[in-house]
Every structure is written in C-alpha cells, then in structure tokens.
C-alpha cells in the first residue's frame, strides 16, 4: 500500500513559514497585500476567491477582493489592473479564470505588472520559466514539485512522465521540473498508447482533467504518483488517477482532495511575498 504525499500537512508547514515572513514585512512597516479580481459569479471561482480570503486572514496578509459584474468590458478590467499596478500598497494581483468569453484573457494577463503577477501568467514570467531567470511561476506546477521535495523525493535523474500539456499545469511543469535534472516525457490526448509512457515513469504527474484516467495497469510498481486533477463527479470530488486502484501498487501517491490542491493557495501567497521582495529590489 502506497504512502501518502500529504499536501495538507506540507501546506500547514509552509503557512507557518509565511506567517513569520509576513510578520517580518509588517515590522518594516509593509503590509503584504493580495488583490483578486473576479469578473462575474462563476461558482467555482467564487469558492476559490473565498478560500484565498480565509488563508490571507489566517496568515495576516491583506486581501482585496474586486468583484466586477459579468458584463464588464475589457477596457474596464484593464483600467482596474492599471490602477492596482500603480498602487504601491498592493503586491500581488490575480485575475480569476475563466474570464467571460468577450474578454481576451491573454491581453489581461499581459497587462499585469510582471512583479505583481502572482499567478505566473504574464509572458515575461512564462519566458522566465524557460530562461531560468528570476520570476513568478504558477502555483499548481510548483505545488507538484513542492509535494515531492518536501516529502523527501529525489527528482534528479528520475524519469518524470507528465500527462497533460495544459497552460496552467502540464506545460509550465515541463521546464520547472527539468531544472531539477529530471528526464521529462510529456503526454497529451494525441499520444498513442498512453500506458506505454506512463508505465516507464519513476514519477508520474497527471494533470489531464479526466476523472480516474490513470488505472493500476498503467503504472509501474513502486512509482511515485502526483495527481493534480480536480474533477467534480456525481460521486464527489476525484482526481485524474484512480486512487483506490493505484495506491495498491504505487510507492507514494497524492490524494484528491488533500494533495496538490491543498498547496496551491498557500504557494500563491508565497508568490505575493516573492513579488514583494522583487518590487522592493526594483524600487531601490
Ligand atoms: P487543460 O488545459 O484542459 O489540459 C488538459 C490536458 O490533458 C491537455 O493537454 C489534454 O491534451 C490532456 N488530456 C486530456 N485527456 C487526455 C487523455 N485521455 N490522455 C492524455 N492526455 C489527455 O487542463 P489544466 O488546466 O492543465 O488542468 C488539468 C487538471 O488540473 C484539471 O483536472 C484541473 O482541474 C486541475 N487543476 C488543479 C489545480 C489545483 O489547484 N490542484 C489547479 C489548476 C488545474 P491536449 O492538449 O491534446 O488537448
């Protein structure tokens, strides 16, 4: 039976570290602040926005929530971001996705100051993932990496197979984990014979958005399995890995909920502090 990659426990440890860091900023008269823009009332986005507020309150970070009506025009959103970019009391800006269809999300992402782009969506931060420069990187792939590192898993030299090349998780993860000297394979919906790849993995990371896509016969015994998937089904929330089956043969596995998803908000707030440090450096 596999051991559990405990996202909740690791998040609790990182939160303690963040609390201390936030206190240090406050002692130098800086109140770290995250601003979140939500356009419309998509229930999942409202839920995530509230979850962030709760964590901010617990850690002593200021949280500014800007809820715009669903029919807000692109110009108005860009104007609001411009205002937050210029506000020196705001250190992180996140725009909840998905945006309504009439809004160009790439244009919105590019309008956020890179050093305040805590979701890592600005082209400058995307480029920094490739170039290895300092930058703000997206929280979910970072959560996958942090889950491994803080559980004592050595990434160097391992064959990491990623299922999914989405913009939020799979694609940035390729270069983020390559930095740790993994050998990386990436699969997607056009990969013929997915199992032939997944069975080669020392570390298998799944971010496909397909409930229980990965079954036991697709995994080599002793593999470490990280499940980034979050799927709402009639039977409740589940990941992209069939946890019950795969836990019988994996060495370590992350549950859903309680794995990757438990870390993402915490790492987003960590990015606010990283951004704040970059902003302080730039202002000198
Ligand atoms: P996405 O943009 O929809 O990408 C899904 C990827 O999976 C695509 O690359 C797709 O291939 C691939 N795929 C779909 N079906 C497949 C199959 N049968 N075999 C192989 N590959 C397949 O999704 P995403 O935004 O990256 O999110 C991925 C998952 O992570 C979702 O479950 C999402 O809910 C979850 N997520 C979790 C968090 C968190 O905090 N834990 C945050 C964000 C997202 P193609 O490119 O060929 O279409």
């Amino acid at each position: 039976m596999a051991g559990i990659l405990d996202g909740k426990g690791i998040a609790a440890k990182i939160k303690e570290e963040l609390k201390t860091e936030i206190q240090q900023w406050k002692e130098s008269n800086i109140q770290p602040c995250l601003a979140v823009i939500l356009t419309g009332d998509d229930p999942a986005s409202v839920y995530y926005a509230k979850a962030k507020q709760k964590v901010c309150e617990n850690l002593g970070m200021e949280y500014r929530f800007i809820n715009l009506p669903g029919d807000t025009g692109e110009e108005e959103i860009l104007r609001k971001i411009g205002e937050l970019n210029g506000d020196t009391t705001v250190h992180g800006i996140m725009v909840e996705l998905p945006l309504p269809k009439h809004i160009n999300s790439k244009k919105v992402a590019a309008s956020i100051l890179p050093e305040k782009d805590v979701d890592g969506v600005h082209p400058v931060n995307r480029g920094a993932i490739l170039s290895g420069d300092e930058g703000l990187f997206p929280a979910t792939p970072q959560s996958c990496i942090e889950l491994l590192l803080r559980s004592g898993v050595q990434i160097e030299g391992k064959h990491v197979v990623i299922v999914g090349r989405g913009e939020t998780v799979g694609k940035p993860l390729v270069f983020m984990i390559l930095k740790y000297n993994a050998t990386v394979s990436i699969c997607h919906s056009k990969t013929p014979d997915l199992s032939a790849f997944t069975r080669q993995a020392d570390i298998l990371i799944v971010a496909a958005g397909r409930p229980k896509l990965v079954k036991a016969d697709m995994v080599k015994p002793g593999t470490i399995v990280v499940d980034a998937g979050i799927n709402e089904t009639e039977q409740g929330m589940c990941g992209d890995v069939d946890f019950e089956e795969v836990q019988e043969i994996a060495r370590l596995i992350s549950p859903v909920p309680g794995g990757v998803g438990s870390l993402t908000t915490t790492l987003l707030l960590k990015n606010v502090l990283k951004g704040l440090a970059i902003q302080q450096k730039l202002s000198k």
Side-chain angles (χ1 to χ4, degrees):
M1 184 76 83
I4 296 295
L5 293 165
D6 175 19
K8 267 192 190 163
I10 294 169
K13 279 197 199 113
I14 301 175
K15 278 179 188 156
E16 286 308 312
E17 295 164 14
L18 295 184
K19 238 186 210 170
T20 309
E21 214 182 311
I22 290 168
Q23 191 52 39
Q24 284 164 352
W25 282 111
K26 284 182 178 172
E27 281 161 16
S28 19
N29 292 322
I30 293 171
Q31 167 62 64
C33 172
L34 166 67
V36 171
I37 301 177
L38 171 62
T39 309
D41 56 2
D42 172 63
S45 301
V46 171
Y47 172 84
Y48 287 125
K50 283 197 177 141
K52 286 182 201 86
Q53 178 170 15
K54 206 171 141 200
V55 183
C56 280
E57 280 170 6
N58 285 339
L59 299 188
M61 185 178 283
E62 188 185 336
Y63 182 76
R64 252 182 249 178
F65 182 51
I66 299 116
N67 196 179
L68 302 170
D71 60 357
T72 304
E74 193 172 278
E75 283 310 313
E76 176 56 17
I77 297 177
L78 296 177
R79 195 195 59 74
K80 191 71 215 168
I81 292 172
E83 202 181 294
L84 296 170
N85 280 340
D87 184 340
T88 53
T89 65
V90 170
H91 310 104
I93 303 169
M94 184 193 167
V95 177
E96 290 287 352
L97 298 173
L99 280 162
K101 287 202 167 59
H102 64 279
I103 310 287
N104 180 337
S105 52
K106 286 199 171 162
K107 208 166 157 186
V108 169
S111 73
I112 303 170
L113 264 187
E115 58 271 26
K116 292 193 178 185
D117 167 39
V118 288
D119 211 15
V121 291
H122 190 284
V124 164
N125 284 320
R126 287 278 146 160
I129 295 177
L130 285 177
S131 63
D133 289 337
E134 186 176 39
L136 296 175
F137 305 142
T140 309
Q142 191 59 47
S143 301
C144 298
I145 294 172
E146 207 73 38
L147 202 54
L148 293 167
L149 294 178
R150 291 195 183 233
S151 304
V153 174
Q154 193 197 325
I155 298 174
E156 181 161 322
K158 298 282 162 48
H159 184 191
V160 176
V161 177
I162 302 169
V163 181
R165 58 176 166 180
E167 295 296 331
T168 332
V169 194
K171 201 184 277 181
L173 182 59
V174 174
F175 290 95
M176 288 168 71
I177 205 154
L178 196 57
K179 237 168 106 175
Y180 291 88
N181 299 322
T183 301
V184 186
S185 299
I186 178 134
C187 307
H188 44 78
S189 70
K190 307 291 184 290
T191 303
D193 195 1
L194 182 63
S195 305
F197 288 88
T198 57
R199 274 201 294 264
Q200 288 180 42
D202 300 316
I203 299 173
L204 177 63
I205 306 181
V206 192
R210 296 282 178 274
K212 302 190 181 188
L213 170 72
V214 172
K215 305 286 182 192
D217 62 358
M218 297 169 72
V219 178
K220 172 176 80 175
T223 301
I224 293 163
V225 181
V226 176
D227 187 353
I230 299 180
N231 306 290
E232 293 295 346
T233 68
E234 282 180 2
Q235 289 75 40
M237 187 193 281
C238 74
D240 293 348
V241 174
D242 192 324
F243 182 85
E244 280 69 32
E245 278 192 14
V246 175
Q247 73 168 337
E248 296 294 335
I249 60 160
R251 177 153 78 83
L252 289 170
I253 186 167
S254 70
V256 179
V260 176
S262 305
L263 273 176
T264 44
T265 301
T266 307
L267 291 181
L268 182 87
L269 302 198
K270 191 171 173 161
N271 264 352
V272 177
L273 301 184
K274 190 177 176 193
L276 171 52
I278 298 172
Q279 289 154 43
Q280 291 295 304
K281 220 169 22 174
L282 289 173
S283 70
K284 280 182 186 144

